Amino acid sequence: MERFRKLVENRHDSAKDWKAKTGRKVLGYLCTYLPEELVYAAGVLPVRLLCSYEPEDVTERYMYGSFCPLSRGILAEGLKGTYSYLDGIGYGEGCMHLRHTFGSWRLHVPTPYNYYVSVPSYVESPRAKTMLRGELVVFKKDLEEWTGNAITEQALDHAIEVYNTNRRLMRQVYELRRADKPPISGAEAMEMVLSSQTMDKEEHNRLLMEAIDNLPKRKDRGDPGVRVMLLGSETNNPSLLRLVESLGATVVIDDLCSGSRYFWNEVIPQEDRLLAIACRYLDRPRCPVKDVRYRRRTAHIPQLAEDYNIQGAVMTLQKYCHPHQCDCPAVKSALSKRNIPIHFIELDGTIPSGEFQARIEAFIEMFSAEVV
Amino acid sequence: MISAGIDVGIKTVKAVILRDGQILARRLALSGGFDRARSAEQVWGKVLQAAGLPPADVNRVIATGTGKWDVRFANDYVVEPLADVRAALWLFPSARSVIDIGADQARVVRFDVNGRILDYVLNQKCAAGLGTFAETMARTLEVPLEKMSELSLKSQREVLINAQCAVFAELDVVSLIHNNTAKADIARAVNDAIATKLSAMVGEITVEKDVVLFGGVASNIEVVNSLKKRLGVDLLIPEKPALAGALGAGLIAAAG
Amino acid sequence: MTIPKTHRKWRTRPLECWQKAKELRQRFYQDAATAREQGKTPVEGQPFVNAELLCGVGNFTTEFWTPLGASIAAASNEFSRQCINETQMRGYGCDTCGYVRNVWGAMFLNLHFLGGEFPRPDFVLEEGGSCDIQNKAGQVIAEHFGVPLFHTDLTGYFCPANAERDEIREEYWIGQTLDEIEWLEKVTGRKFDDEKFSETVKTGLRIRTLAGEVFTLNQNIPAPLDQKSMYSFFILGALVRSEQEETLRFWEMLRDEVKERVANHIAAVATERYRWIEEAPPPWYFLKYYRYMEKYGAVCVGSPYVQTIGCHWRWGEDGTYHPRENPLELGWPLNTREELIRAMFVVNRGRGGGVGRHGATPEATAERLLSMAKAFNADGAILPLWRSGIGYAFGMREVALKLTEAGIPTMHYEGSQPGDKTDFDEAQVLDRLDVFMESQGLRKLED
């Protein structure tokens, strides 16, 4: 497990090493709606752009302060040159915050290639699949032109297989967290996901298989305490989970794009590979910006709550994350119907400290009182 | 020609009297917030006394600062960036940009050799980075404002707090206190946060050398050093940085 | 720029069309509030592109939440506060769009800003694509009333422009709209009247071109219209009623009057000596900032935002703006449903969006403002930073940087949202206007 943590901490090194070893291109992406399989099939390594949770003074010039700390934090990394090893950046249409990051990155960070994939927001629309498939046809051509590599059906099949394997393995890991005594912590689970987003999936699959084999031998982690679900805005901050878990709780499941939402569903193979990939992205567990019609989130989240036998939920919101702010009442009411309390916490882009701790402590205390 | 400038801020009132381009007298006093009009008159009385002049001898008075409309005896008013530019060029002819950080307003102005404003930026609504924020933080730490710099120098450890939002930053400070973080480390964190926010604001326009720093916050050496480091430029600071606005207004008054 | 020390006084006079426009606007909202009594179908939603479809299924009234949210804020600050508090008390965050918090709040409170109850719609039409939050507004309304919702989705992409991708988007839209027609027939139980639809689309196209003509006439010196009046008129290019012919007649009248004003040098503001442009909607609760600028002889002569709320223009090769020829004038075949939908899409898709609209890059927005500044002889630009109007704040800093680089003095002011006065600091905004004008060497004119 230490390994995944190191991989996340040294994420830039994994990508740089891969680049040096293979001599191929690396593409950073901003939102998990970017269909990575296509990029991977072009021989390019897709890595997710993450921020480093430090105060910064370089984005104010380009982005007004009402764009979320994460979207600004990522741009700051770009402006500071942390990502100078990238050959390109990609954006699969998500929220306006990250769209601004993409827009400003294009203008001010000298990454040679950029591409914006349109992804429908009304993902259940009967017309959405054709639309996204069409977009992927154009994206594929663009990638081919950029890399000089033809994206063959074999390459697509291979990419789909590598990605699906990773998803299956992660599902396996998550399945283990349903146990009364989950063998891994929430922070560790997030590190597994984050490391998969920042390195070659094929290599990551090998590491996952090894880790899964070794898990039964792992020593008992003791009483998990209160079983908590973490949900909310994009966050790539395992230390936040570590803090929660140091206070008498275990995060046993999440609804985050740096967690379960990233790998939950697979590409279901079909003859038309691009259509198969399009369907996978449209069918994903939803981000609030993609849940504009049927409220699949208020069905999916309580289902997870039940499957993972959670006692309470913590929703962390990036300051100014309006898509999540819009969904709060619906999610809260869906969980309340199952008597699951939810606690909301606003994140400001730095590592949360004392104030955050006091709130979580009080929230967890509530459950202990119930037990007594 | 005897002219005067008076600068009314939310915290302090500043007045300068000039004779033929030479400073005759200058005074600074607390503005008393709600009673700024009276404070302005008191400071005016004191500066006249210091100059040894009856009011009638002053040919022209120009008021500036966010409370400028409270100066009923002024002959005219001038917006703050213009006063800054005039003072900056008079004090440092090589100046091409000025940063002025007061209690409730911060501004950065770029100008040409003739004092024509080329670009400027004013602080956003959030108080982070402003003098009033520095003061609140000093109060929370139970340290006199003027000691914040000295205290911060004793810091052994770097701690980060929010630099974007004054309210978040205040809560960060409160929890650092709860965690028994050394006062000096918190003072340094506050100074760094102020400098980070200011440097972000300065970054909104392209400043040109030489850069002059005015305003009360210029007296906090730690903030100044942190700001210099972040901006990568030297900052020219006059002897009395808080009085620069009043000086600028007085110079404009002299020019008619 | 050289600022004249003295200023001439232009001849000015009130607009004759003003009363008519006011009546039309008032009728629009009153109709929506009393739809049932009039036997009309009340529809809630934001069908900025496809509103004309509704004419195919009979008489209807609509309340679009952008204008509704703005009207609530403009009508009564107290009522708007009440609405916003109600929405936030129900757990929706304070960064949710101010318009939407107004509309949801009025709905939760069951109050209409003109008095009476909030009209219960028969169904809700949502058109996504302008803003993430607008995109989720319909969901909450449909759930609240337990009525059907139809969602039409528009995606976008950033430059470079790509014909193949544009075609994909267009087909996506047309396909969804064809579905929408079937859905409307099912929900209303009425047969879709293609003839009435065709008529309404064509009327709409004419209105948009007339509005474009009025807008571009403001390139003249002195400006025949000021921005504040333009907003009042242009909303009539965005709102769609069953009785569109009346709106068309209004636009013809307005166009003639503005033409006549131009010919006779009738100014909107007698003291015009400094012209500025803006982008994104203004604080609807503080429109007097336009009047304040007039003390400096400064007139707001235009905003690309009026395009999004109603008119249609093109940028001529000579660097000036012209009304854009509509598909009727261009001789497009306009017979089938698909052809009409395509025309509607091409002309209307700019309607209702902010800077953050899909595909509108900061560079494109800056380019548009720069070209406008040139064509309209503007000396400066004012760009608001709306904190919870994320679509409007999108790229605004980038736009400001580009304008400044190009030598157009630019200022920002801040606030929550054009429909949310919560922390709007009027005194500070006026102070900043002073700084902006004086830093360019202008002083207030003596009365």
Side-chain angles (χ1 to χ4, degrees), chain C residues 49-50 126-128 152-154 168-178 180 341 344-345:
Chain C
V49 180
N50 281 351
E126 170 83 86
E127 281 180 11
T152 335
D153 185 33
L154 182 60
I168 292 169
R169 292 174 75 205
E170 219 165 288
E171 288 308 319
Y172 183 41
W173 188 267
I174 292 169
Q176 294 179 87
T177 309
L178 290 169
E180 188 176 358
I341 295 169
M344 211 163 59
F345 178 71

Side-chain angles (χ1 to χ4, degrees), chain C residues 381-412:
Chain C
I382 298 186
L383 309 174
L385 292 171
W386 293 123
R387 203 174 311 116
S388 67
I390 197 85
Y392 300 135
F394 188 92
M396 256 332 176
R397 286 289 312 136
E398 299 278 12
V399 173
L401 282 172
K402 294 220 178 292
L403 291 182
T404 310
E405 260 168 43
I408 305 281
T410 302
M411 86 161 245
H412 293 302

Side-chain angles (χ1 to χ4, degrees), chain B residues 47-201:
Chain B
V47 78
L48 283 169
Q49 202 178 7
L53 292 171
D57 282 12
V58 183
N59 304 79
R60 203 167 147 77
V61 186
I62 287 190
T64 188
T66 38
K68 56 184 169 291
W69 307 114
D70 290 332
V71 187
R72 286 170 212 126
F73 53 87
N75 301 97
D76 204 353
Y77 305 88
V78 67
V79 291
E80 300 72 44
L82 285 175
D84 279 337
V85 169
R86 189 61 68 95
L89 276 172
W90 189 77
L91 290 161
F92 306 100
S94 61
R96 290 298 171 268
S97 304
V98 57
I99 304 171
D100 189 333
I101 310 147
D104 63 338
Q105 202 187 74
R107 43 193 178 266
V108 186
V109 192
R110 184 165 63 94
F111 47 88
D112 66 13
V113 66
N114 301 314
R116 198 170 70 97
I117 292 182
L118 301 174
D119 198 0
Y120 72 89
V121 58
L122 304 180
N123 60 290
Q124 287 176 0
K125 214 174 164 191
C126 176
L130 296 179
T132 180
F133 170 71
E135 195 182 312
T136 311
M137 291 298 98
R139 210 161 39 227
T140 310
L141 289 179
E142 297 168 357
V143 174
L145 180 59
E146 57 281 7
K147 296 275 182 212
M148 281 291 278
S149 182
E150 202 183 311
L151 179 62
S152 155
L153 279 168
K154 294 184 192 137
S155 162
Q156 303 286 320
R157 191 167 71 96
E158 190 182 11
V159 207
L160 298 177
I161 61 166
N162 184 296
Q164 266 313 311
C165 162
V167 180
F168 269 72
E170 192 165 355
L171 280 175
D172 280 352
V173 167
V174 169
S175 48
L176 289 175
I177 296 174
H178 278 308
N179 291 343
N180 298 315
T181 310
K183 211 182 244 195
D185 295 336
I186 308 181
R188 176 173 161 194
V190 167
N191 287 337
D192 277 344
I194 294 173
T196 307
K197 177 78 182 178
L198 289 172
S199 134
M201 179 187 144

Side-chain angles (χ1 to χ4, degrees), chain A residues 326, chain C residues 65 69 87 96-105 133-134 137 417:
Chain A
C326 249
Chain C
W65 39 73
T87 303
T96 314
C97 164
Y99 290 159
V100 171
R101 274 179 289 146
N102 276 337
V103 174
W104 284 350
I133 293 306
Q134 305 275 338
Q417 208 265 349

Side-chain angles (χ1 to χ4, degrees), chain C residues 82-100:
Chain C
Q82 225 182 317
C83 294
I84 283 170
N85 286 345
E86 182 64 25
T87 303
Q88 287 177 203
M89 257 158 47
R90 287 174 185 248
Y92 297 95
C94 63
D95 301 314
T96 314
C97 164
Y99 290 159
V100 171

